[in-house]
Amino acid sequence: MNRDAVKSSEIELNAYAKINLSLYVLSRRADGYHDIKSFMQGINIFDTLKIKTKKINNYNYNCFFSETNIYLFSANRNIPLTADNLAVKGAISVVRAISGRYNLTDLMKERGADCISIEIDKKLPVAAGIAGGSGNAAAVMLGVNHLLGNPLSMRELMDVGVKVGADVPFSIMMNTYLNADELEGLPKIEEASSAAIVSGIGEVVEAVEPRPYFVILFNPSIAVSTKEVYEAIDRKLEDTDYAQREVDINLFYNDLELYTLANYEEVQSLVSRIRENLQADEVLMSGSGPTVAAYYTEYTRFEADYKALESARWVEPTWRYWKTKSGGHDVWS
């Protein structure tokens, strides 16, 4: 642990979203989880979180865990402001892991910490297939670890994170890379990347070179249940050995898209209209949806399509869309 690190009572981190450039479901495990293989990559849209070791004046939720209080606040009422919030679960998981190695009371006293407070400025859509909640959990875990002197390495945080959610290990790696300036001193930070091949249930994260794209991201303003989509896959493929299929991680492909499009007319309409009206190189739903990404390698076409959206009659007034980039700081600068 870096006991010489500057003692701070607050850190602000961007919790970046992710997209799946490919996603294969390989098998259903006995524990109910699914083995996958996916190429995941960060995108330049994010929530912003402030993690503090001082009590905040206003809070929506409070719990006491392992000798410390955890406080949560957000002005956004579309997220659970309860123990079910992944940011709270992330805080509890990292506190539990640190407590297993150190006397937490003594450590917090040494760091001048009174509690753990979390403030979420929620900008990303909820239940959208872009790991918004997982990114919040990742940011909190990284922030708490940082404020307590980095007792855990990035890889150790990832190992803890898989118990919070399947997308959390990748979100920790990717958000470490994209918040590197704020997280100086984190052990194993040099292993971070904005892109990875993810397998197992999400716990096996192999950093790879990112594939840079300009992206227009669309959300039809509905929520899709990941659990419901996986249950549909289980019913459809229960007699199939999906692990024997050939997979190409470099293809734009998403097993979950097949079932979301079949069961959510709004998403099917969105994908169809994007393909009919835009000049994107690829169009693919991210995760279990409903967010859909239009990928561009050419900036001119990307800008032209995005500008045309302002007056496009095929765009529904309830849809949200963003102009963004994917692949890391090297393509965002």
Side-chain angles (χ1 to χ4, degrees):
M1 183 171 67
N2 184 6
R3 293 185 179 274
D4 296 326
V6 175
K7 294 179 182 178
S8 173
S9 63
E10 178 177 339
I11 185 172
E12 181 173 306
L13 298 172
N14 292 332
Y16 291 89
K18 63 84 183 164
I19 46 179
N20 301 85
L21 278 65
S22 63
L23 174 55
Y24 294 87
V25 180
L26 302 181
S27 64
R28 186 180 188 275
R29 296 157 43 129
D31 59 10
Y33 288 97
H34 294 78
D35 284 314
I36 64 152
K37 192 163 189 179
S38 177
F39 192 112
M40 296 187 186
Q41 192 160 274
I43 50 177
N44 190 23
I45 59 172
F46 49 85
D47 297 329
T48 300
L49 280 79
K50 290 181 181 178
I51 303 96
K52 305 179 182 180
T53 53
K54 302 296 179 184
K55 184 178 178 181
I56 51 180
N57 293 327
N58 297 314
Y59 56 89
N60 308 110
Y61 173 78
N62 165 236
C63 66
F64 187 74
F65 178 79
S66 189
E67 306 303 317
T68 187
N69 276 292
I70 298 173
Y71 299 94
L72 172 69
F73 170 78
S74 179
N76 191 313
R77 297 299 185 266
N78 294 319
I79 60 175
L81 299 171
T82 65
D84 290 330
N85 191 291
L86 288 183
V88 173
K89 292 183 177 182
I92 289 174
S93 70
V94 75
V95 167
R96 178 185 286 118
I98 294 172
S99 298
R101 297 189 183 187
Y102 302 93
N103 182 305
L104 185 66
T105 301
D106 290 346
L107 178 58
M108 291 188 68
K109 184 177 181 181
E110 177 186 320
R111 304 297 301 180
D114 302 327
C115 62
I116 294 169
S117 298
I118 305 160
E119 297 184 44
I120 303 175
D121 181 4
K122 190 71 180 174
K123 305 164 190 169
L124 299 173
V126 178
I130 55 176
S134 295
N136 289 175
V140 167
M141 293 176 71
L142 288 164
V144 171
N145 189 61
H146 177 84
L147 294 174
L148 295 184
N150 289 314
L152 303 178
S153 72
M154 182 190 74
R155 285 287 180 180
E156 288 169 331
L157 287 170
M158 291 166 66
D159 291 341
V160 174
V162 73
K163 298 173 185 176
V164 180
D167 286 331
V168 174
F170 172 73
S171 290
I172 289 173
M173 173 182 277
M174 178 262 292
N175 276 291
T176 296
Y177 180 84
L178 298 176
N179 289 283
D181 289 345
E182 289 74 24
L183 296 171
E184 184 178 356
L186 174 64
K188 303 292 185 181
I189 194 172
E190 69 279 0
E191 297 182 14
S193 173
S194 64
I197 295 174
V198 179
S199 54
I201 65 170
E203 80 279 14
V204 182
V205 183
E206 177 189 354
V208 295
E209 285 296 315
R211 292 157 55 183
Y213 290 99
F214 304 104
V215 180
I216 302 176
L217 208 64
F218 293 85
N219 184 277
S221 298
I222 64 167
V224 169
S225 166
T226 300
K227 182 175 181 287
E228 176 185 311
V229 175
Y230 272 107
E231 286 173 349
I233 286 181
D234 291 339
R235 289 193 298 271
K236 184 73 174 178
L237 300 177
E238 59 184 1
D239 297 324
T240 305
D241 187 357
Y242 11 151
Q244 297 303 312
R245 294 181 306 154
E246 298 246 348
V247 301
D248 186 344
I249 206 70
N250 293 310
L251 291 180
F252 281 85
Y253 178 82
N254 183 351
D255 271 328
L256 304 186
E257 182 182 72
L258 304 175
Y259 303 97
T260 300
L261 295 186
N263 290 282
Y264 290 86
E265 184 178 341
E266 299 95 329
V267 187
Q268 184 182 58
S269 175
L270 173 61
V271 170
S272 296
R273 293 193 207 179
I274 292 171
R275 288 177 173 156
E276 289 170 3
N277 293 281
L278 298 185
Q279 308 171 73
D281 296 292
E282 301 286 349
V283 177
L284 190 71
M285 191 183 78
S286 181
S288 57
T291 301
V292 177
Y295 294 89
Y296 297 79
T297 54
E298 184 182 305
Y299 182 75
T300 303
R301 277 188 290 116
F302 163 70
E303 282 288 354
D305 274 0
Y306 184 78
K307 186 174 182 180
L309 291 174
E310 297 175 7
S311 57
R313 294 184 178 181
W314 59 272
V315 176
E316 296 290 343
T318 55
W319 292 356
R320 297 175 65 189
Y321 57 86
W322 299 263
K323 180 173 92 170
T324 184
K325 301 175 185 178
S326 179
H329 288 310
D330 53 339
V331 297
W332 297 352
S333 57

